[in-house]
Amino acid sequence: MSFLKYFEVVEELIKELKDTQHENIRKASEIIANSIINGGILHSFGSGHSYAAAIEIAGRAGSLIPAKTVEEPSRGLYETIEGVGTKLMENYDLRENDCFVIISNSGRNPLVIEVADFVKRKGNKLIVVTSLDVSKKLKSRHSSGKNLYQFADVILDNRGKEGDSVIELDGLPVKVGPTSTIAAVVLLQATIVEAVKIMLSMGYTPPIYMSANIDGGPEFNKKLIEKYVERLFTKY
């Protein structure tokens, strides 16, 4: 059955991520830990389907409270048009000790490239989640000629295949079963877990969301959120 094949592929992929990305996860977790300890916040951004991975590490149970997802109103509709990313970030509040995560499977479109360029021109650390081998083969759609991975301080490689999907079915000219979102979520959550461990080992207890569905959760969160209200709940 084809769905069982998909499970097999995903299981193999997760093992591959564990075997190949542990050092990159460690480096990315150090960036996040240092950012939070020094009063910064974590920003995450993904265009189109990559937005699903971006919101996975911000504003949910078990995630860092000082984390914010960058909202792009069109959800990627204009990601191939130069200038959109620059305009989006024009008035964005990115401060000295903040760090940034950008997720893009191909990393070739102008939107994510311009967001990355903004982050690096500000002097902030950037973690990129992408399919590295695939992206290296793709021609940039930005006039700079660069792809997203070229801006990264650390790359979390999702080990994805060209076209993202992995299952072939008779009678269908395209594959189904994409893996990039699953890989991105696993990589990023592993990074957050390690970052929290690093902070605790340094004597710093990071603020983490408790589930609002646990009795006392909303009250627990409210006390911790107060410190970050100004930054987390403003659009820019």
Side-chain angles (χ1 to χ4, degrees):
M1 288 178 280
S2 295
F3 78 87
L4 292 177
K5 177 62 176 176
Y6 185 70
F7 273 101
E8 291 172 5
V9 170
V10 170
E11 288 167 358
E12 291 172 3
L13 174 62
I14 291 174
K15 183 180 184 304
E16 184 177 357
L17 296 177
K18 177 184 175 183
D19 292 343
T20 65
Q21 299 304 300
H22 57 276
E23 183 63 17
N24 296 329
I25 290 170
R26 184 191 64 78
K27 292 176 181 177
S29 65
E30 289 176 350
I31 287 174
I32 293 173
N34 288 330
S35 172
I36 303 303
I37 287 174
N38 288 296
I41 69 172
L42 168 65
H43 305 260
S44 61
F45 179 71
S47 174
H49 72 269
S50 294
Y51 182 72
I55 63 173
E56 179 68 17
I57 57 171
R60 63 156 299 156
S63 68
L64 289 163
I65 287 177
K68 178 179 181 178
T69 304
V70 180
E71 300 284 347
E72 194 277 294
S74 79
R75 293 291 189 267
L77 183 61
Y78 308 113
E79 68 179 0
T80 61
I81 300 174
E82 284 202 33
V84 173
T86 299
K87 189 65 179 177
L88 175 68
M89 302 303 291
E90 206 168 66
N91 299 304
Y92 194 76
D93 182 19
L94 186 62
R95 302 185 188 178
E96 182 180 0
N97 290 312
D98 293 353
C99 63
F100 218 100
V101 170
I102 301 178
I103 306 105
S104 174
N105 192 51
S106 72
R108 73 186 306 199
N109 290 316
L111 176 55
V112 292
I113 291 167
E114 290 174 358
V115 173
D117 182 59
F118 174 88
V119 173
K120 295 314 301 173
R121 283 190 287 107
K122 283 278 190 175
N124 296 82
K125 295 291 186 181
L126 173 61
I127 299 162
V128 163
V129 185
T130 192
S131 177
L132 187 57
D133 286 346
V134 172
S135 189
K136 285 181 176 181
K137 296 175 184 176
L138 294 173
K139 182 180 179 181
S140 175
R141 289 173 172 159
H142 192 265
S143 58
S144 68
K146 292 183 178 181
N147 282 350
L148 176 62
Y149 72 88
Q150 293 171 278
F151 293 88
D153 291 288
V154 177
I155 299 168
L156 297 176
D157 184 359
N158 69 28
R159 310 295 286 185
K161 308 300 182 184
E162 187 173 0
D164 197 359
S165 297
V166 293
I167 303 297
E168 294 182 356
L169 297 175
D170 291 342
L172 194 66
V174 296
K175 293 180 182 179
V176 296
T179 63
S180 61
T181 302
I182 292 172
V185 168
V186 169
L187 288 167
L188 289 171
Q189 288 295 6
T191 298
I192 296 299
V193 169
E194 187 65 16
V196 170
K197 180 183 177 183
I198 290 171
M199 286 184 264
L200 290 171
S201 71
M202 297 175 70
Y204 180 87
T205 303
I208 303 292
Y209 281 106
M210 182 183 292
S211 172
N213 295 311
I214 293 176
D215 291 342
E219 294 78 13
F220 176 89
N221 294 336
K222 184 178 180 181
K223 292 179 182 179
L224 295 174
I225 288 170
E226 287 176 357
K227 178 180 177 181
Y228 301 97
V229 166
E230 175 198 357
R231 304 217 55 205
L232 298 182
F233 300 103
T234 56
K235 188 173 183 181
Y236 297 106

